[in-house]
Amino acid sequence: FPRLLNFNRKPFRLADHPTAGVPCDESINAFIDKMAERFNADENRIYLCGLSMGGFGTWYTSMAYPDKFAAIVPCCGGGMAWNARCLTMPIWAFHGLEDTCVTPVNTIEMVEALKSTNLNLKCDLYEGVGHGSWGKALSEQTLNWILSQTKAE
């Protein structure tokens, strides 16, 4: 494992992060805080997107820190629908209906749980698309939508 991320051409190994070995959501939160500080990020414009297992992580992390993100974009993941009401940020979820790796029911259950409480909820389910729905999902339109979102002040 360790994955390398390249910020300003300086490798950053997740395994070297001071929170390596602590629960994942805490480690991700600490990583985001460190990057926001390092790059002087606008804390009202922090976004979370994940694909597959990262889609699960996107749902999970946003439930653990519901006030942190301006918007989330989970692709072919799923979450704990019973806890979805805490997600009030804008959400655009994606899933391929032919996904045999992660069943689309995971995304559908999350979206159904959110419909009555989240007014800024979008979901695209792609006919004829399997697990790689992010190929269609992560478009210029999606990026423009993400970047137009800010946390309510």
Side-chain angles (χ1 to χ4, degrees):
F1 173 64
R3 279 202 174 172
L4 290 178
L5 300 176
N6 192 346
F7 293 102
N8 288 345
R9 301 177 194 237
K10 296 175 188 171
F12 181 89
R13 290 174 12 130
L14 289 179
D16 292 340
H17 192 271
T19 62
V22 300
C24 186
D25 62 319
E26 292 175 28
S27 183
I28 291 169
N29 187 50
F31 176 77
I32 293 168
D33 287 346
K34 181 79 170 165
M35 293 299 105
E37 179 184 338
R38 183 180 208 182
F39 296 103
N40 196 29
D42 179 349
E43 299 209 2
N44 289 315
R45 298 177 65 97
I46 294 176
Y47 311 104
L48 186 59
C49 176
L51 320 171
S52 189
M53 185 61 85
F56 283 92
T58 296
W59 288 114
Y60 179 80
T61 303
S62 61
M63 282 189 255
Y65 301 97
D67 298 324
K68 184 158 209 88
F69 304 102
I72 64 168
V73 180
C75 297
C76 57
M80 300 170 283
W82 55 268
N83 194 39
R85 286 188 302 231
C86 71
L87 301 177
T88 58
M89 76 286 289
I91 299 169
W92 196 351
F94 297 91
H95 215 119
L97 289 172
E98 308 305 318
D99 192 336
T100 57
C101 184
V102 176
T103 176
V105 169
N106 289 306
T107 293
I108 293 166
E109 285 178 349
M110 289 300 293
V111 169
E112 288 299 317
L114 287 162
K115 277 184 177 176
S116 65
T117 59
N118 189 316
L119 301 178
N120 199 345
L121 173 66
K122 298 170 75 162
C123 180
D124 287 357
L125 301 171
Y126 298 119
E127 299 263 350
V129 175
H131 191 57
S133 62
W134 52 84
K136 290 184 82 156
L138 301 181
S139 65
E140 187 172 339
Q141 176 188 9
T142 307
L143 181 61
N144 288 335
W145 177 85
I146 292 168
L147 296 176
S148 72
Q149 308 303 316
T150 58
K151 280 197 307 189
E153 295 185 33

